[in-house]
């Protein structure tokens, strides 16, 4: 296997993050647009250390948040129709929704 070592690089954090929850009636699962700053803010609000996050990721379990609220915005008040992120264009396969963080 060939290794490629990369040094002096830029990191872009436009990736897909999925959120799963139960709204009291059913399980829900959506993709949200969270950048690195937002994810670090969520980890800080939740009170997780780097070691906590590493252990959870190493166990291949999802990070669970109880103190953080993600806010997604309904489009024109139509239930279940949310604003999508403008970071992905229409040709991309996944639908990714805009989100904001609240304590």
């Amino acid at each position: 296997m060939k290794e490629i070592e990369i040094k002096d690089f830029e990191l872009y954090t436009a990736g897909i993050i999925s959120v799963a929850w139960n709204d009291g009636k059913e399980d829900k699962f959506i993709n949200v647009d969270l950048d690195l700053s937002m994810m670090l803010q969520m980890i800080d609000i939740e009170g997780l250390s780097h070691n906590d996050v590493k252990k959870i990721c190493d166990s291949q379990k999802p990070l669970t948040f109880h103190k953080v609220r993600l806010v997604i915005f309904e489009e024109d008040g139509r239930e279940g129709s949310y604003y999508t992120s403008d970071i992905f264009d229409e040709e991309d396969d996944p639908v990714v929704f805009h989100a904001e963080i609240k304590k």
Side-chain angles (χ1 to χ4, degrees), residues 11-53:
L11 179 66
Y12 294 85
T13 59
I16 298 172
I17 305 297
S18 299
V19 176
W21 79 101
N22 186 293
D23 68 357
K25 295 182 241 171
E26 62 183 337
D27 291 334
K28 304 267 188 166
F29 185 90
I30 63 170
N31 298 320
V32 293
D33 178 14
L34 299 176
D35 64 22
L36 183 57
S37 175
M38 294 169 79
M39 289 185 282
L40 290 172
Q41 181 184 6
M42 291 169 56
I43 289 167
D44 184 53
I45 291 169
E46 198 64 29
L48 297 170
S49 70
H50 176 267
N51 286 334
D52 295 333
V53 173

